Amino acid sequence: MRILQCLNWDIKAVEENLEKIAEQGFDVIQINPVQPLKEDRKDTWWLSYQPCGFSIGNQYGSKEDLINLCNKARLYNIKVTVDVIVTH
């Protein structure tokens, strides 16, 4: 299993690069939490690990973006792993 950590990537950017990711032999992609965040900034990676809820969607992408990524990743036999913060 080869995992590519796409931390701090927009979901749409990951989707746009799936073909290249598959060509490089990755079969799992890990992305940031997609929970609502305390601060809407992307300049510091750890800010995406300060959630303030459990719904799906933040500055990295929406629920629909995540669904589209998963559907397209399936075409390349790539699994998508999403970090989730359940307690702090």
Side-chain angles (χ1 to χ4, degrees), residues 7 30-33 37 45-51 83 85 88:
L7 303 178
Q30 178 185 3
I31 64 173
N32 289 60
L37 303 176
W45 69 269
W46 54 266
L47 290 174
S48 66
Y49 287 86
Q50 294 186 333
D83 271 354
I85 309 302
H88 238 278

Side-chain angles (χ1 to χ4, degrees), residues 3-14 28-37 39-51 53 55-63 65-66 69-70 80-85:
I3 302 171
L4 177 63
Q5 293 181 323
C6 298
L7 303 178
N8 248 26
W9 290 36
D10 287 332
I11 292 174
K12 288 182 180 182
V14 176
V28 180
I29 295 168
Q30 178 185 3
I31 64 173
N32 289 60
V34 290
Q35 299 163 251
L37 303 176
E39 295 183 50
D40 287 338
R41 292 178 26 206
K42 293 183 190 175
D43 59 337
T44 308
W45 69 269
W46 54 266
L47 290 174
S48 66
Y49 287 86
Q50 294 186 333
S55 60
I56 300 173
N58 61 24
Q59 68 264 29
Y60 294 99
S62 66
K63 181 176 180 178
D65 294 334
L66 180 59
L69 172 63
C70 292
V80 177
T81 300
V82 182
D83 271 354
V84 175
I85 309 302

Side-chain angles (χ1 to χ4, degrees), residues 61-80:
S62 66
K63 181 176 180 178
E64 292 75 24
D65 294 334
L66 180 59
I67 291 168
N68 291 337
L69 172 63
C70 292
N71 288 335
K72 189 168 180 184
R74 189 175 298 120
L75 299 174
Y76 291 98
N77 294 315
I78 295 174
K79 293 179 174 54
V80 177

